[in-house]
PDB file of all heavy atoms in Angstrom:
ATOM      1  N   LEU N  90       0.832  -1.199  -0.003  1.00 90.00           N
ATOM      2  CA  LEU N  90       0.001   0.003   0.003  1.00 90.00           C
ATOM      3  C   LEU N  90       0.864   1.253  -0.005  1.00 90.00           C
ATOM      4  O   LEU N  90       0.569   2.235  -0.695  1.00 90.00           O
ATOM      5  CB  LEU N  90      -0.946   0.002   1.213  1.00 90.00           C
ATOM      6  CG  LEU N  90      -2.041   1.024   1.229  1.00 90.00           C
ATOM      7  CD1 LEU N  90      -2.864   1.017  -0.056  1.00 90.00           C
ATOM      8  CD2 LEU N  90      -2.969   0.758   2.401  1.00 90.00           C
ATOM      9  N   THR N  91       1.965   1.225   0.736  1.00 91.00           N
ATOM     10  CA  THR N  91       2.905   2.336   0.727  1.00 91.00           C
ATOM     11  C   THR N  91       3.521   2.500  -0.655  1.00 91.00           C
ATOM     12  O   THR N  91       3.684   3.625  -1.154  1.00 91.00           O
ATOM     13  CB  THR N  91       4.000   2.111   1.785  1.00 91.00           C
ATOM     14  OG1 THR N  91       3.377   1.927   3.061  1.00 91.00           O
ATOM     15  CG2 THR N  91       4.965   3.283   1.860  1.00 91.00           C
ATOM     16  N   GLU N  92       3.846   1.388  -1.293  1.00 94.00           N
ATOM     17  CA  GLU N  92       4.381   1.422  -2.657  1.00 94.00           C
ATOM     18  C   GLU N  92       3.350   1.995  -3.629  1.00 94.00           C
ATOM     19  O   GLU N  92       3.672   2.799  -4.490  1.00 94.00           O
ATOM     20  CB  GLU N  92       4.765   0.015  -3.069  1.00 94.00           C
ATOM     21  CG  GLU N  92       5.357  -0.097  -4.458  1.00 94.00           C
ATOM     22  CD  GLU N  92       5.686  -1.542  -4.802  1.00 94.00           C
ATOM     23  OE1 GLU N  92       6.043  -2.319  -3.902  1.00 94.00           O
ATOM     24  OE2 GLU N  92       5.581  -1.866  -5.995  1.00 94.00           O
ATOM     25  N   LEU N  93       2.097   1.595  -3.461  1.00 93.00           N
ATOM     26  CA  LEU N  93       1.027   2.102  -4.301  1.00 93.00           C
ATOM     27  C   LEU N  93       0.848   3.610  -4.117  1.00 93.00           C
ATOM     28  O   LEU N  93       0.627   4.342  -5.081  1.00 93.00           O
ATOM     29  CB  LEU N  93      -0.265   1.364  -3.978  1.00 93.00           C
ATOM     30  CG  LEU N  93      -1.469   1.627  -4.867  1.00 93.00           C
ATOM     31  CD1 LEU N  93      -1.174   1.207  -6.295  1.00 93.00           C
ATOM     32  CD2 LEU N  93      -2.672   0.876  -4.332  1.00 93.00           C
ATOM     33  N   ALA N  94       0.962   4.073  -2.890  1.00 93.00           N
ATOM     34  CA  ALA N  94       0.868   5.512  -2.613  1.00 93.00           C
ATOM     35  C   ALA N  94       2.023   6.269  -3.284  1.00 93.00           C
ATOM     36  O   ALA N  94       1.813   7.373  -3.796  1.00 93.00           O
ATOM     37  CB  ALA N  94       0.866   5.765  -1.114  1.00 93.00           C
ATOM     38  N   GLY N  95       3.185   5.661  -3.315  1.00 93.00           N
ATOM     39  CA  GLY N  95       4.313   6.301  -3.985  1.00 93.00           C
ATOM     40  C   GLY N  95       4.123   6.351  -5.498  1.00 93.00           C
ATOM     41  O   GLY N  95       4.522   7.316  -6.151  1.00 93.00           O
ATOM     42  N   ALA N  96       3.498   5.333  -6.043  1.00 96.00           N
ATOM     43  CA  ALA N  96       3.264   5.277  -7.487  1.00 96.00           C
ATOM     44  C   ALA N  96       2.088   6.153  -7.918  1.00 96.00           C
ATOM     45  O   ALA N  96       1.977   6.519  -9.084  1.00 96.00           O
ATOM     46  CB  ALA N  96       3.009   3.836  -7.906  1.00 96.00           C
ATOM     47  N   ASN N  97       1.184   6.483  -6.976  1.00 94.00           N
ATOM     48  CA  ASN N  97       0.003   7.309  -7.266  1.00 94.00           C
ATOM     49  C   ASN N  97      -0.092   8.453  -6.260  1.00 94.00           C
ATOM     50  O   ASN N  97      -1.019   8.488  -5.449  1.00 94.00           O
ATOM     51  CB  ASN N  97      -1.256   6.439  -7.195  1.00 94.00           C
ATOM     52  CG  ASN N  97      -1.239   5.329  -8.193  1.00 94.00           C
ATOM     53  OD1 ASN N  97      -1.489   5.549  -9.357  1.00 94.00           O
ATOM     54  ND2 ASN N  97      -0.908   4.131  -7.744  1.00 94.00           N
ATOM     55  N   PRO N  98       0.837   9.384  -6.323  1.00 93.00           N
ATOM     56  CA  PRO N  98       0.901  10.432  -5.292  1.00 93.00           C
ATOM     57  C   PRO N  98      -0.283  11.402  -5.282  1.00 93.00           C
ATOM     58  O   PRO N  98      -0.478  12.110  -4.320  1.00 93.00           O
ATOM     59  CB  PRO N  98       2.203  11.161  -5.596  1.00 93.00           C
ATOM     60  CG  PRO N  98       2.427  10.921  -7.047  1.00 93.00           C
ATOM     61  CD  PRO N  98       1.877   9.544  -7.320  1.00 93.00           C
ATOM     62  N   ARG N  99      -1.101  11.421  -6.338  1.00 95.00           N
ATOM     63  CA  ARG N  99      -2.219  12.358  -6.408  1.00 95.00           C
ATOM     64  C   ARG N  99      -3.570  11.673  -6.257  1.00 95.00           C
ATOM     65  O   ARG N  99      -4.603  12.225  -6.608  1.00 95.00           O
ATOM     66  CB  ARG N  99      -2.163  13.153  -7.700  1.00 95.00           C
ATOM     67  CG  ARG N  99      -0.840  13.892  -7.842  1.00 95.00           C
ATOM     68  CD  ARG N  99      -0.874  15.238  -8.475  1.00 95.00           C
ATOM     69  NE  ARG N  99      -2.050  16.038  -8.320  1.00 95.00           N
ATOM     70  CZ  ARG N  99      -2.249  16.949  -7.374  1.00 95.00           C
ATOM     71  NH1 ARG N  99      -1.344  17.143  -6.441  1.00 95.00           N
ATOM     72  NH2 ARG N  99      -3.348  17.662  -7.357  1.00 95.00           N
ATOM     73  N   SER N 100      -3.585  10.454  -5.714  1.00 96.00           N
ATOM     74  CA  SER N 100      -4.812   9.693  -5.575  1.00 96.00           C
ATOM     75  C   SER N 100      -5.366   9.789  -4.156  1.00 96.00           C
ATOM     76  O   SER N 100      -4.750   9.285  -3.202  1.00 96.00           O
ATOM     77  CB  SER N 100      -4.556   8.218  -5.927  1.00 96.00           C
ATOM     78  OG  SER N 100      -5.698   7.453  -5.623  1.00 96.00           O
ATOM     79  N   SER N 101      -6.535  10.384  -4.030  1.00 97.00           N
ATOM     80  CA  SER N 101      -7.195  10.449  -2.723  1.00 97.00           C
ATOM     81  C   SER N 101      -7.617   9.071  -2.252  1.00 97.00           C
ATOM     82  O   SER N 101      -7.580   8.766  -1.061  1.00 97.00           O
ATOM     83  CB  SER N 101      -8.414  11.366  -2.779  1.00 97.00           C
ATOM     84  OG  SER N 101      -8.029  12.694  -2.874  1.00 97.00           O
ATOM     85  N   PHE N 102      -8.014   8.225  -3.187  1.00 97.00           N
ATOM     86  CA  PHE N 102      -8.431   6.860  -2.850  1.00 97.00           C
ATOM     87  C   PHE N 102      -7.294   6.093  -2.169  1.00 97.00           C
ATOM     88  O   PHE N 102      -7.490   5.469  -1.133  1.00 97.00           O
ATOM     89  CB  PHE N 102      -8.883   6.143  -4.115  1.00 97.00           C
ATOM     90  CG  PHE N 102      -9.324   4.724  -3.869  1.00 97.00           C
ATOM     91  CD1 PHE N 102     -10.558   4.454  -3.286  1.00 97.00           C
ATOM     92  CD2 PHE N 102      -8.506   3.663  -4.207  1.00 97.00           C
ATOM     93  CE1 PHE N 102     -10.968   3.162  -3.066  1.00 97.00           C
ATOM     94  CE2 PHE N 102      -8.917   2.356  -3.983  1.00 97.00           C
ATOM     95  CZ  PHE N 102     -10.146   2.103  -3.412  1.00 97.00           C
ATOM     96  N   VAL N 103      -6.104   6.178  -2.740  1.00 97.00           N
ATOM     97  CA  VAL N 103      -4.950   5.478  -2.168  1.00 97.00           C
ATOM     98  C   VAL N 103      -4.592   6.062  -0.804  1.00 97.00           C
ATOM     99  O   VAL N 103      -4.351   5.333   0.153  1.00 97.00           O
ATOM    100  CB  VAL N 103      -3.738   5.527  -3.123  1.00 97.00           C
ATOM    101  CG1 VAL N 103      -2.504   4.954  -2.465  1.00 97.00           C
ATOM    102  CG2 VAL N 103      -4.058   4.769  -4.415  1.00 97.00           C
ATOM    103  N   ARG N 104      -4.611   7.385  -0.685  1.00 97.00           N
ATOM    104  CA  ARG N 104      -4.267   8.032   0.598  1.00 97.00           C
ATOM    105  C   ARG N 104      -5.288   7.710   1.683  1.00 97.00           C
ATOM    106  O   ARG N 104      -4.914   7.507   2.844  1.00 97.00           O
ATOM    107  CB  ARG N 104      -4.163   9.547   0.424  1.00 97.00           C
ATOM    108  CG  ARG N 104      -3.007   9.972  -0.423  1.00 97.00           C
ATOM    109  CD  ARG N 104      -1.714   9.679   0.267  1.00 97.00           C
ATOM    110  NE  ARG N 104      -0.621   9.831  -0.669  1.00 97.00           N
ATOM    111  CZ  ARG N 104       0.639   9.694  -0.344  1.00 97.00           C
ATOM    112  NH1 ARG N 104       0.974   9.398   0.872  1.00 97.00           N
ATOM    113  NH2 ARG N 104       1.565   9.820  -1.248  1.00 97.00           N
ATOM    114  N   LEU N 105      -6.566   7.658   1.317  1.00 97.00           N
ATOM    115  CA  LEU N 105      -7.591   7.276   2.285  1.00 97.00           C
ATOM    116  C   LEU N 105      -7.322   5.884   2.837  1.00 97.00           C
ATOM    117  O   LEU N 105      -7.318   5.657   4.048  1.00 97.00           O
ATOM    118  CB  LEU N 105      -8.979   7.319   1.652  1.00 97.00           C
ATOM    119  CG  LEU N 105     -10.110   6.709   2.473  1.00 97.00           C
ATOM    120  CD1 LEU N 105     -10.367   7.525   3.728  1.00 97.00           C
ATOM    121  CD2 LEU N 105     -11.369   6.588   1.623  1.00 97.00           C
ATOM    122  N   ASN N 106      -7.063   4.951   1.949  1.00 97.00           N
ATOM    123  CA  ASN N 106      -6.846   3.566   2.382  1.00 97.00           C
ATOM    124  C   ASN N 106      -5.520   3.379   3.100  1.00 97.00           C
ATOM    125  O   ASN N 106      -5.428   2.589   4.031  1.00 97.00           O
ATOM    126  CB  ASN N 106      -6.966   2.636   1.172  1.00 97.00           C
ATOM    127  CG  ASN N 106      -8.414   2.503   0.782  1.00 97.00           C
ATOM    128  OD1 ASN N 106      -9.199   1.902   1.485  1.00 97.00           O
ATOM    129  ND2 ASN N 106      -8.779   3.102  -0.338  1.00 97.00           N
ATOM    130  N   LEU N 107      -4.506   4.133   2.707  1.00 97.00           N
ATOM    131  CA  LEU N 107      -3.247   4.107   3.448  1.00 97.00           C
ATOM    132  C   LEU N 107      -3.486   4.608   4.871  1.00 97.00           C
ATOM    133  O   LEU N 107      -3.003   4.011   5.839  1.00 97.00           O
ATOM    134  CB  LEU N 107      -2.191   4.971   2.749  1.00 97.00           C
ATOM    135  CG  LEU N 107      -0.837   5.078   3.441  1.00 97.00           C
ATOM    136  CD1 LEU N 107      -0.188   3.724   3.600  1.00 97.00           C
ATOM    137  CD2 LEU N 107       0.063   6.030   2.686  1.00 97.00           C
ATOM    138  N   GLY N 108      -4.255   5.664   5.006  1.00 97.00           N
ATOM    139  CA  GLY N 108      -4.591   6.189   6.342  1.00 97.00           C
ATOM    140  C   GLY N 108      -5.354   5.187   7.181  1.00 97.00           C
ATOM    141  O   GLY N 108      -5.111   5.057   8.385  1.00 97.00           O
ATOM    142  N   LEU N 109      -6.266   4.444   6.562  1.00 97.00           N
ATOM    143  CA  LEU N 109      -7.000   3.403   7.307  1.00 97.00           C
ATOM    144  C   LEU N 109      -6.047   2.309   7.798  1.00 97.00           C
ATOM    145  O   LEU N 109      -6.154   1.858   8.953  1.00 97.00           O
ATOM    146  CB  LEU N 109      -8.099   2.806   6.435  1.00 97.00           C
ATOM    147  CG  LEU N 109      -9.270   3.741   6.157  1.00 97.00           C
ATOM    148  CD1 LEU N 109     -10.182   3.139   5.085  1.00 97.00           C
ATOM    149  CD2 LEU N 109     -10.052   4.019   7.431  1.00 97.00           C
ATOM    150  N   ALA N 110      -5.126   1.884   6.949  1.00 97.00           N
ATOM    151  CA  ALA N 110      -4.154   0.882   7.351  1.00 97.00           C
ATOM    152  C   ALA N 110      -3.278   1.405   8.494  1.00 97.00           C
ATOM    153  O   ALA N 110      -3.013   0.692   9.476  1.00 97.00           O
ATOM    154  CB  ALA N 110      -3.298   0.459   6.153  1.00 97.00           C
ATOM    155  N   GLN N 111      -2.862   2.641   8.388  1.00 97.00           N
ATOM    156  CA  GLN N 111      -2.030   3.235   9.433  1.00 97.00           C
ATOM    157  C   GLN N 111      -2.817   3.361  10.744  1.00 97.00           C
ATOM    158  O   GLN N 111      -2.274   3.113  11.826  1.00 97.00           O
ATOM    159  CB  GLN N 111      -1.532   4.605   8.980  1.00 97.00           C
ATOM    160  CG  GLN N 111      -0.535   4.517   7.850  1.00 97.00           C
ATOM    161  CD  GLN N 111      -0.310   5.839   7.156  1.00 97.00           C
ATOM    162  OE1 GLN N 111      -1.203   6.669   7.053  1.00 97.00           O
ATOM    163  NE2 GLN N 111       0.903   6.015   6.640  1.00 97.00           N
ATOM    164  N   PHE N 112      -4.082   3.727  10.635  1.00 97.00           N
ATOM    165  CA  PHE N 112      -4.914   3.832  11.826  1.00 97.00           C
ATOM    166  C   PHE N 112      -5.006   2.496  12.568  1.00 97.00           C
ATOM    167  O   PHE N 112      -4.855   2.434  13.782  1.00 97.00           O
ATOM    168  CB  PHE N 112      -6.315   4.327  11.434  1.00 97.00           C
ATOM    169  CG  PHE N 112      -7.293   4.328  12.567  1.00 97.00           C
ATOM    170  CD1 PHE N 112      -7.296   5.365  13.482  1.00 97.00           C
ATOM    171  CD2 PHE N 112      -8.211   3.311  12.726  1.00 97.00           C
ATOM    172  CE1 PHE N 112      -8.200   5.384  14.526  1.00 97.00           C
ATOM    173  CE2 PHE N 112      -9.128   3.308  13.769  1.00 97.00           C
ATOM    174  CZ  PHE N 112      -9.112   4.354  14.674  1.00 97.00           C
ATOM    175  N   TRP N 113      -5.235   1.426  11.822  1.00 97.00           N
ATOM    176  CA  TRP N 113      -5.360   0.106  12.452  1.00 97.00           C
ATOM    177  C   TRP N 113      -4.042  -0.421  12.971  1.00 97.00           C
ATOM    178  O   TRP N 113      -4.021  -1.295  13.830  1.00 97.00           O
ATOM    179  CB  TRP N 113      -6.021  -0.879  11.497  1.00 97.00           C
ATOM    180  CG  TRP N 113      -7.477  -0.556  11.362  1.00 97.00           C
ATOM    181  CD1 TRP N 113      -8.099  -0.029  10.278  1.00 97.00           C
ATOM    182  CD2 TRP N 113      -8.483  -0.668  12.381  1.00 97.00           C
ATOM    183  NE1 TRP N 113      -9.445   0.182  10.557  1.00 97.00           N
ATOM    184  CE2 TRP N 113      -9.698  -0.195  11.835  1.00 97.00           C
ATOM    185  CE3 TRP N 113      -8.476  -1.106  13.697  1.00 97.00           C
ATOM    186  CZ2 TRP N 113     -10.888  -0.156  12.566  1.00 97.00           C
ATOM    187  CZ3 TRP N 113      -9.655  -1.072  14.411  1.00 97.00           C
ATOM    188  CH2 TRP N 113     -10.849  -0.610  13.843  1.00 97.00           C
ATOM    189  N   ARG N 114      -2.942   0.129  12.472  1.00 96.00           N
ATOM    190  CA  ARG N 114      -1.627  -0.226  13.028  1.00 96.00           C
ATOM    191  C   ARG N 114      -1.251   0.692  14.184  1.00 96.00           C
ATOM    192  O   ARG N 114      -0.130   0.621  14.693  1.00 96.00           O
ATOM    193  CB  ARG N 114      -0.561  -0.143  11.928  1.00 96.00           C
ATOM    194  CG  ARG N 114      -0.691  -1.244  10.899  1.00 96.00           C
ATOM    195  CD  ARG N 114       0.335  -1.078   9.827  1.00 96.00           C
ATOM    196  NE  ARG N 114       1.675  -1.095  10.390  1.00 96.00           N
ATOM    197  CZ  ARG N 114       2.597  -1.987  10.097  1.00 96.00           C
ATOM    198  NH1 ARG N 114       2.340  -2.917   9.213  1.00 96.00           N
ATOM    199  NH2 ARG N 114       3.784  -1.942  10.652  1.00 96.00           N
ATOM    200  N   ARG N 115      -2.182   1.558  14.574  1.00 97.00           N
ATOM    201  CA  ARG N 115      -2.002   2.521  15.662  1.00 97.00           C
ATOM    202  C   ARG N 115      -0.929   3.564  15.368  1.00 97.00           C
ATOM    203  O   ARG N 115      -0.252   4.074  16.257  1.00 97.00           O
ATOM    204  CB  ARG N 115      -1.723   1.824  16.986  1.00 97.00           C
ATOM    205  CG  ARG N 115      -2.835   0.880  17.392  1.00 97.00           C
ATOM    206  CD  ARG N 115      -2.753   0.535  18.849  1.00 97.00           C
ATOM    207  NE  ARG N 115      -3.688  -0.496  19.236  1.00 97.00           N
ATOM    208  CZ  ARG N 115      -4.968  -0.297  19.514  1.00 97.00           C
ATOM    209  NH1 ARG N 115      -5.478   0.902  19.396  1.00 97.00           N
ATOM    210  NH2 ARG N 115      -5.750  -1.294  19.877  1.00 97.00           N
ATOM    211  N   GLU N 116      -0.790   3.894  14.086  1.00 97.00           N
ATOM    212  CA  GLU N 116       0.103   4.966  13.646  1.00 97.00           C
ATOM    213  C   GLU N 116      -0.770   6.214  13.416  1.00 97.00           C
ATOM    214  O   GLU N 116      -0.981   6.641  12.287  1.00 97.00           O
ATOM    215  CB  GLU N 116       0.833   4.556  12.373  1.00 97.00           C
ATOM    216  CG  GLU N 116       1.710   3.327  12.557  1.00 97.00           C
ATOM    217  CD  GLU N 116       2.257   2.782  11.261  1.00 97.00           C
ATOM    218  OE1 GLU N 116       2.060   3.393  10.176  1.00 97.00           O
ATOM    219  OE2 GLU N 116       2.887   1.719  11.304  1.00 97.00           O
ATOM    220  N   ASP N 117      -1.280   6.756  14.520  1.00 97.00           N
ATOM    221  CA  ASP N 117      -2.304   7.790  14.446  1.00 97.00           C
ATOM    222  C   ASP N 117      -1.858   9.049  13.708  1.00 97.00           C
ATOM    223  O   ASP N 117      -2.614   9.584  12.881  1.00 97.00           O
ATOM    224  CB  ASP N 117      -2.777   8.164  15.846  1.00 97.00           C
ATOM    225  CG  ASP N 117      -3.479   6.994  16.550  1.00 97.00           C
ATOM    226  OD1 ASP N 117      -3.964   6.096  15.841  1.00 97.00           O
ATOM    227  OD2 ASP N 117      -3.526   6.998  17.778  1.00 97.00           O
ATOM    228  N   GLU N 118      -0.667   9.544  13.969  1.00 97.00           N
ATOM    229  CA  GLU N 118      -0.209  10.769  13.309  1.00 97.00           C
ATOM    230  C   GLU N 118      -0.052  10.548  11.805  1.00 97.00           C
ATOM    231  O   GLU N 118      -0.407  11.419  11.004  1.00 97.00           O
ATOM    232  CB  GLU N 118       1.106  11.261  13.924  1.00 97.00           C
ATOM    233  CG  GLU N 118       0.946  11.787  15.340  1.00 97.00           C
ATOM    234  CD  GLU N 118      -0.029  12.946  15.417  1.00 97.00           C
ATOM    235  OE1 GLU N 118      -0.013  13.834  14.554  1.00 97.00           O
ATOM    236  OE2 GLU N 118      -0.846  12.942  16.356  1.00 97.00           O
ATOM    237  N   ALA N 119       0.456   9.399  11.422  1.00 97.00           N
ATOM    238  CA  ALA N 119       0.593   9.084   9.987  1.00 97.00           C
ATOM    239  C   ALA N 119      -0.773   8.963   9.334  1.00 97.00           C
ATOM    240  O   ALA N 119      -0.974   9.410   8.190  1.00 97.00           O
ATOM    241  CB  ALA N 119       1.403   7.794   9.805  1.00 97.00           C
ATOM    242  N   ALA N 120      -1.727   8.354  10.022  1.00 97.00           N
ATOM    243  CA  ALA N 120      -3.090   8.224   9.486  1.00 97.00           C
ATOM    244  C   ALA N 120      -3.710   9.591   9.265  1.00 97.00           C
ATOM    245  O   ALA N 120      -4.301   9.862   8.206  1.00 97.00           O
ATOM    246  CB  ALA N 120      -3.945   7.382  10.416  1.00 97.00           C
ATOM    247  N   LEU N 121      -3.596  10.475  10.255  1.00 98.00           N
ATOM    248  CA  LEU N 121      -4.139  11.825  10.119  1.00 98.00           C
ATOM    249  C   LEU N 121      -3.505  12.561   8.941  1.00 98.00           C
ATOM    250  O   LEU N 121      -4.199  13.241   8.172  1.00 98.00           O
ATOM    251  CB  LEU N 121      -3.948  12.619  11.414  1.00 98.00           C
ATOM    252  CG  LEU N 121      -4.777  12.149  12.615  1.00 98.00           C
ATOM    253  CD1 LEU N 121      -4.350  12.894  13.868  1.00 98.00           C
ATOM    254  CD2 LEU N 121      -6.265  12.335  12.346  1.00 98.00           C
ATOM    255  N   ALA N 122      -2.201  12.413   8.775  1.00 97.00           N
ATOM    256  CA  ALA N 122      -1.519  13.073   7.663  1.00 97.00           C
ATOM    257  C   ALA N 122      -1.998  12.516   6.319  1.00 97.00           C
ATOM    258  O   ALA N 122      -2.207  13.282   5.367  1.00 97.00           O
ATOM    259  CB  ALA N 122      -0.011  12.880   7.798  1.00 97.00           C
ATOM    260  N   SER N 123      -2.213  11.224   6.246  1.00 97.00           N
ATOM    261  CA  SER N 123      -2.711  10.616   4.992  1.00 97.00           C
ATOM    262  C   SER N 123      -4.120  11.093   4.683  1.00 97.00           C
ATOM    263  O   SER N 123      -4.447  11.395   3.528  1.00 97.00           O
ATOM    264  CB  SER N 123      -2.679   9.090   5.099  1.00 97.00           C
ATOM    265  OG  SER N 123      -1.370   8.616   5.140  1.00 97.00           O
ATOM    266  N   TRP N 124      -4.970  11.190   5.682  1.00 97.00           N
ATOM    267  CA  TRP N 124      -6.342  11.656   5.466  1.00 97.00           C
ATOM    268  C   TRP N 124      -6.361  13.124   5.084  1.00 97.00           C
ATOM    269  O   TRP N 124      -7.151  13.533   4.218  1.00 97.00           O
ATOM    270  CB  TRP N 124      -7.194  11.396   6.684  1.00 97.00           C
ATOM    271  CG  TRP N 124      -7.406   9.936   6.946  1.00 97.00           C
ATOM    272  CD1 TRP N 124      -7.378   8.917   6.026  1.00 97.00           C
ATOM    273  CD2 TRP N 124      -7.674   9.333   8.196  1.00 97.00           C
ATOM    274  NE1 TRP N 124      -7.595   7.716   6.639  1.00 97.00           N
ATOM    275  CE2 TRP N 124      -7.797   7.940   7.978  1.00 97.00           C
ATOM    276  CE3 TRP N 124      -7.826   9.809   9.491  1.00 97.00           C
ATOM    277  CZ2 TRP N 124      -8.060   7.036   8.996  1.00 97.00           C
ATOM    278  CZ3 TRP N 124      -8.089   8.911  10.515  1.00 97.00           C
ATOM    279  CH2 TRP N 124      -8.209   7.528  10.257  1.00 97.00           C
ATOM    280  N   ARG N 125      -5.499  13.929   5.685  1.00 98.00           N
ATOM    281  CA  ARG N 125      -5.428  15.355   5.312  1.00 98.00           C
ATOM    282  C   ARG N 125      -5.010  15.481   3.843  1.00 98.00           C
ATOM    283  O   ARG N 125      -5.550  16.306   3.107  1.00 98.00           O
ATOM    284  CB  ARG N 125      -4.448  16.094   6.205  1.00 98.00           C
ATOM    285  CG  ARG N 125      -4.982  16.400   7.565  1.00 98.00           C
ATOM    286  CD  ARG N 125      -4.016  17.297   8.362  1.00 98.00           C
ATOM    287  NE  ARG N 125      -4.358  17.204   9.761  1.00 98.00           N
ATOM    288  CZ  ARG N 125      -3.640  16.557  10.686  1.00 98.00           C
ATOM    289  NH1 ARG N 125      -2.523  15.948  10.359  1.00 98.00           N
ATOM    290  NH2 ARG N 125      -4.057  16.507  11.936  1.00 98.00           N
ATOM    291  N   ARG N 126      -4.061  14.671   3.460  1.00 97.00           N
ATOM    292  CA  ARG N 126      -3.585  14.721   2.069  1.00 97.00           C
ATOM    293  C   ARG N 126      -4.668  14.241   1.109  1.00 97.00           C
ATOM    294  O   ARG N 126      -4.868  14.824   0.056  1.00 97.00           O
ATOM    295  CB  ARG N 126      -2.342  13.872   1.916  1.00 97.00           C
ATOM    296  CG  ARG N 126      -1.734  13.990   0.560  1.00 97.00           C
ATOM    297  CD  ARG N 126      -0.252  13.962   0.599  1.00 97.00           C
ATOM    298  NE  ARG N 126       0.241  14.223  -0.726  1.00 97.00           N
ATOM    299  CZ  ARG N 126       1.356  13.745  -1.197  1.00 97.00           C
ATOM    300  NH1 ARG N 126       2.107  13.000  -0.424  1.00 97.00           N
ATOM    301  NH2 ARG N 126       1.735  14.028  -2.426  1.00 97.00           N
TER     302      ARG N 126
END
């Protein structure tokens, strides 16, 4: 998913899902940053 986000840096869909994965891994600050982006 991180690789996909790097390959699609302007995709809100990818960033939303990356943020969800980060949230469930308890990486709260990273999740918030992904959702903001």
Side-chain angles (χ1 to χ4, degrees):
L90 191 52
T91 304
E92 181 181 328
L93 187 61
N97 299 282
R99 303 216 31 93
S100 172
S101 287
F102 180 76
V103 173
R104 292 292 168 177
L105 170 66
N106 287 290
L107 178 60
L109 289 170
Q111 292 165 328
F112 174 80
W113 288 109
R114 290 177 59 118
R115 301 197 187 278
E116 299 171 5
D117 296 337
E118 291 302 317
L121 291 172
S123 292
W124 293 334
R125 283 187 198 107
R126 185 143 186 211

